[in-house]
Amino acid sequence: MWSYIAGGVFLALAIYFIVQGIRCGAAVRESKNRLAAYNAQTAALSFLKAFAAEHPEVNIHTILPREENIKKVLAALSQIEEKRKVAYERNRG
């Protein structure tokens, strides 16, 4: 009796995970297609908007696509990544 119940629960879980995998795969394909439809300018603008939202002290209108400004943005992002790594290592160890 218990084996039938356990088997039914296992079967229900297996079906659930299969359906979720199929749904996830479909969502990933849709996201890839949507991302491919973006042009580079749209993606860069989205990146700059997200950066400005995270850093309100930065005036988005002063960020121009010049080499020195791109280097400043990349340097700021690398500092954020370094801080995240240090915090992770501190919490981990």
Side-chain angles (χ1 to χ4, degrees):
M1 173 74 171
W2 287 106
S3 63
Y4 292 121
I5 294 172
V9 169
F10 179 74
L11 182 62
L13 280 174
I15 291 171
Y16 173 78
F17 286 128
I18 289 170
V19 169
Q20 291 302 316
I22 292 169
R23 291 180 64 207
C24 182
V28 167
R29 280 189 298 279
E30 181 182 337
S31 296
K32 283 183 180 179
N33 292 338
R34 191 177 314 152
L35 186 59
Y38 283 166
N39 61 21
Q41 186 177 7
T42 303
L45 183 60
S46 296
F47 167 76
L48 288 175
K49 284 181 181 177
F51 182 81
E54 189 172 326
H55 301 282
E57 72 276 5
V58 175
N59 183 356
I60 189 72
H61 300 291
T62 63
I63 299 176
L64 300 173
R66 292 190 222 159
E67 185 177 355
E68 68 259 12
N69 291 333
I70 292 171
K71 287 180 180 178
K72 287 178 186 177
V73 170
L74 291 175
L77 290 174
S78 66
Q79 289 175 356
I80 293 168
E81 181 65 19
E82 282 297 318
K83 289 179 184 176
R84 188 194 62 78
K85 285 181 183 177
V86 168
Y88 175 75
E89 288 298 324
R90 190 178 313 135
N91 291 335
R92 187 174 155 215

